[in-house]
Structure formats: structure tokens, C-alpha cells
Amino acid sequence: MSEKIVTLSDATFDEHVKGSDVPVLVDFWAEWCGPCKMISPVLEEIAEEQAGKLQIGKLNIDDNLEVTRRFDVMSIPTLILFKNGEPEVRLIGAKPKGQLLQEIAEYL
Amino acid sequence: MTERRKVVIVGSGPAGLTAAIYAARAQLEPLVIEGEPSSNSDQPGGQLMLTTEVENYPGFVDGVMGPELMGIMRNQAIRFGAELRTAKVSRLDLSSPSPFPVWVGDPEADEPTVEADALIIATGARSLMLGCPNEERLLGYGVSTCATCDGFFFREHHIAVAGGGDSALEEAIFLTRFASKVTVIHRRSELRASKIMQERAFKNPKIEFLWDSVIVDVLGDTKVSGIKVKHTKSAETFELPVTGLFVAIGHEPNSALVKGQLDLEENGYVRTVGRSSRTSVEGVFACGDVQDHIYRQAITSAGSGCMASIDAEHWLEERGE
């Protein structure tokens, strides 16, 4: 995994997401989800390209139910973009890179 | 400058990747344009990326998860030198003889992205949605097309599955791991599914059936709170309070790229000639679910991908290449 991506957990979520100077795109994922595997390389690329402007965080839902429930995630992959700690956009399902970037562009 | 390839394969399910394995081993240096991430069965790896346990693929005594199987096939194709590109073909031009121009990205670009001496169409099929008013709005908020992805979120919930084929029952059975109750809603009074799946579903105490019933709408403000069901014989409608709806009512071929360019069957599937993968255009071959509305199995799809690769190889040889 790219070193530009941060692994989030129930314990560290608030600290990372609320404390971040740049928007954080959180990937709610699990090992057993095919579409999650598909977007994983896309997120790696975005993390490299947008370094300094956008932080990518990954949250494994199996291990982190508290945050998963807090944001009412009911389908994975779900990507939520947080700005100043607040959820701004929610993207459900795997999407091509171009479309992902387009949908979060106005918040960067 | 436009890149030239001996073989371009469009699609990366079992058909496309098997074609890639064979073409790569035949030193044809195939390019696989595998599609882009999506959760609606038109994506790299194909429909198996959205499935759970595959129990009938030969070679896996204990079964294998769909996404895992596709990962293995992908690595096998790469091992022999196939190049995979995570992109979507936006346009094909089959109006002149080979080489065939293939566009990725802007379909109006002057120059195509790549030209293919032989082209293998393996674009598969996609899940049909119900088409009722609030289905799309609630997709991801209780409406799902992917039981493996979303079953987890319905622990101890009552959920519904629409459909009566093998996929519907497979999803229903899988979902009983999480749900307290799964109601299968089928528009006829008997199932299309195989005997073994029917037997398992009938035996499962968490599964119940609503026969001769169709879903006319999905209810819920910010997430699914129920569905509106119509009994087709009495025409009565009623509400079923479920928190999830999994749709598995059938498939349609992803043949839009070749529509008007290749002969299609009346139902939109690509027509192949006799017992081959040849299409109505010389040098263009089709395999997998885009040309098969009868068997539609991972193994038949893989088999037809092998055929397409061998057909393409012979065709290139006959042309003296």
C-alpha cells in the first residue's frame, strides 16, 4: 500500500479526520468485497497524485463497526469525503478514476 | 501514433481472461482492455466479482470466492505476457476490414487508441434492475446488486431477494448467514433455478417465498423501509417491511459497442457462426456471456474464450501473419 495512504480505525478516526489540514477521502472496505479490490489501485494512484491536497484513508469495516455505523454505511465500497471533519460527499460503489475525481473535485 | 496489436480482447471476465491466457501462450501478445471499476456487473473481472462462493468451477474441490477466482485467472494471463489495461472501450469501428480501430476514452478522437488485427469481444452481460421508481435513489441505502458486498450490513434484518434463478437463490442462501429472514419474490409460481439450489433454498428455515409476485416500488426516505409488492394473479398490492432488497432478476448482454456492426440475435446477444466464435465480421470473434444466453456459466464462458483465441490464431495464420 502507498505510504501516502493512512489506515484508520475506530480509535484513530477522529484524530486523523478532524485533525487533518486537507480533505480526507475515507474508503470503507472489506477483504471479501470484489468491487473494493477493484478500486484499491485507483485509490493508490489518487493518493500519489493528490499528495498534499487530499489524504486517502482506509477503514476496514469488519474491524471498525463503530465508525461504520456512525456514518450509516450500508454498502461497500463507500467513499466519504470529509472536509474539516465533516462529511461532504458520499460515493457508493466502485467507479472509474475519472468519475471519482470529478465527483470530489469541487471540495479539493 | 496509434498502437497496432495482433489481438485485442475487450472484457476481462472468464471468457476474456481465458482468451488472453491462450493468446499469450500463442505468442500473440494480446492486449486486454478490461473495463473500469463499477458495482453493476460491467467491470474488470466481470460478474464473478460480485458473487460469493463458486462451487461448480472444476478444480476447486472446496469452492472458491468469485473475486478470488478472477484474481487467479488475471495473474495467469499476466504470467504469459498478456497486457491488461484498466480502461473502457468507448468505440469500435468494424465497417472496414482488419485492422479494426479501437477507441479508449474520447470516442470522437481523430485517431483510435489501438488497431487490432483480430478482435475478441468478451464484454459479458450485466444485471437487470427492476426499473421501479425509487430503486435507483435507494441503491446503496438498502437496495443492492451485490450480496457479497452488502450482506454484512443486514445482520438480524428481514430482507428481500427479487428473482427465481440460480443467482437469486445463491444470494438468498448466502444472505441467511446475516439476515434473520429472507423473502424471495418471484413473478412465477415455480423457480428457474437448478434442482440443487431449489432443494437448498426450500430446506433453509430462514428463506420464505412469495410466488406470482412482482415488486412495484421500493419504500423509504433515506434508507429502505419496505417494498411494495403486487400479486400478479389477484392484482392486489401490499407492503412488505424489509430493510434490504437484493436484485437478481436476470441479465442483458453488453453488446452496445457492436450493435449495428455485428449481427445480433433478437434478444441483443452477439450471433456466432455454427460451432465457432466467429461473428458476422471476419476477424472479429465473440465469447462468453455476450454471445450466450443459454448456458451462462463461468466454465462455459472460459471454454468459449479458449475457442475465440484459437479461432483468432487460425484466422491470423490463414492471412499469413
Side-chain angles (χ1 to χ4, degrees), chain A residues 14-103:
Chain A
D14 286 328
E15 172 197 334
H16 275 294
V17 171
K18 294 199 167 136
S20 174
D21 298 333
V22 294
V24 185
L25 185 66
V26 180
D27 173 25
F28 292 81
W29 71 285
E31 207 51 70
W32 32 262
C33 155
C36 297
K37 290 201 170 79
M38 281 180 237
I39 62 160
S40 199
V42 171
L43 294 174
E44 299 260 327
E45 284 176 29
I46 294 178
E48 293 290 333
E49 291 164 13
Q50 304 285 327
K53 283 199 291 182
L54 174 72
Q55 174 71 54
I56 306 260
K58 289 180 82 95
L59 185 98
N60 184 322
I61 61 150
D62 266 330
D63 305 332
N64 300 287
L65 277 177
E66 191 272 312
V67 171
T68 305
R69 289 206 182 109
R70 198 197 311 169
F71 294 100
D72 249 335
V73 173
M74 294 177 75
S75 177
I76 51 169
T78 284
L79 300 174
I80 304 181
L81 184 82
F82 292 85
K83 196 170 180 179
N84 304 320
E86 293 299 318
E88 294 282 356
V89 202
R90 179 186 284 243
L91 307 172
I92 294 170
K95 293 174 199 295
K97 184 178 170 189
Q99 197 184 333
L100 278 181
L101 285 171
Q102 204 182 331
E103 294 193 35

Side-chain angles (χ1 to χ4, degrees), chain B residues 58-273:
Chain B
F60 294 87
V61 182
D62 302 315
V64 57
M65 294 303 278
E68 191 190 341
L69 178 61
M70 296 323 296
I72 295 170
M73 284 192 203
R74 195 172 187 276
N75 288 339
Q76 196 175 353
I78 291 169
R79 179 185 157 205
F80 294 111
E83 185 190 337
L84 278 81
R85 222 171 269 175
T86 311
K88 199 161 180 153
V89 171
S90 54
R91 182 179 153 210
L92 295 169
D93 183 355
L94 312 179
S95 60
S96 311
S98 165
F100 305 103
V102 178
W103 281 263
V104 170
D106 179 10
E108 304 300 326
D110 292 341
E111 296 293 319
T113 314
V114 49
E115 283 186 320
D117 290 332
L119 193 59
I120 295 178
I121 308 293
T123 44
R126 61 167 69 219
S127 303
L128 287 168
M129 297 299 289
L130 294 165
C132 59
N134 290 298
E135 178 186 39
E136 201 179 329
R137 181 175 62 82
L138 292 165
L139 193 63
Y141 296 96
V143 178
S144 176
T145 54
C146 179
T148 24
C149 306
D150 303 339
F152 176 86
F153 300 102
F154 298 89
R155 266 175 220 280
E156 297 308 312
H157 288 216
H158 177 195
I159 58 184
V161 172
D166 272 341
S167 331
L169 294 193
E170 187 195 310
E171 291 207 350
I173 292 164
F174 173 77
L175 289 166
T176 58
R177 294 189 198 179
F178 309 101
S180 55
K181 186 167 155 188
V182 177
T183 303
V184 177
I185 297 165
H186 186 47
R187 63 196 161 115
R188 301 187 207 287
S189 53
E190 53 187 64
L191 299 166
R192 276 180 286 123
S194 60
K195 287 281 173 288
I196 183 170
M197 295 304 282
Q198 292 201 25
E199 208 169 281
R200 279 193 206 166
F202 289 141
K203 264 198 334 218
N204 191 312
K206 285 185 176 179
I207 297 180
E208 64 166 34
F209 289 86
L210 273 183
W211 304 106
D212 300 309
S213 299
V214 291
I215 297 168
V216 289
D217 205 359
V218 189
L219 310 168
D221 191 9
T222 55
K223 49 181 157 178
V224 173
S225 60
I227 51 177
K228 195 185 250 183
V229 181
K230 182 179 171 185
H231 191 259
T232 54
K233 293 199 168 144
S234 66
E236 270 172 46
T237 61
F238 61 95
E239 289 179 10
L240 188 70
V242 294
T243 52
L245 171 64
F246 289 78
V247 183
I249 54 169
H251 300 91
E252 60 180 347
N254 294 319
S255 56
L257 273 179
V258 296
K259 196 178 174 190
Q261 306 200 76
L262 294 180
D263 284 355
L264 303 182
E265 306 283 351
E266 272 168 30
N267 52 14
Y269 286 78
V270 175
R271 181 173 288 160
T272 49
V273 181

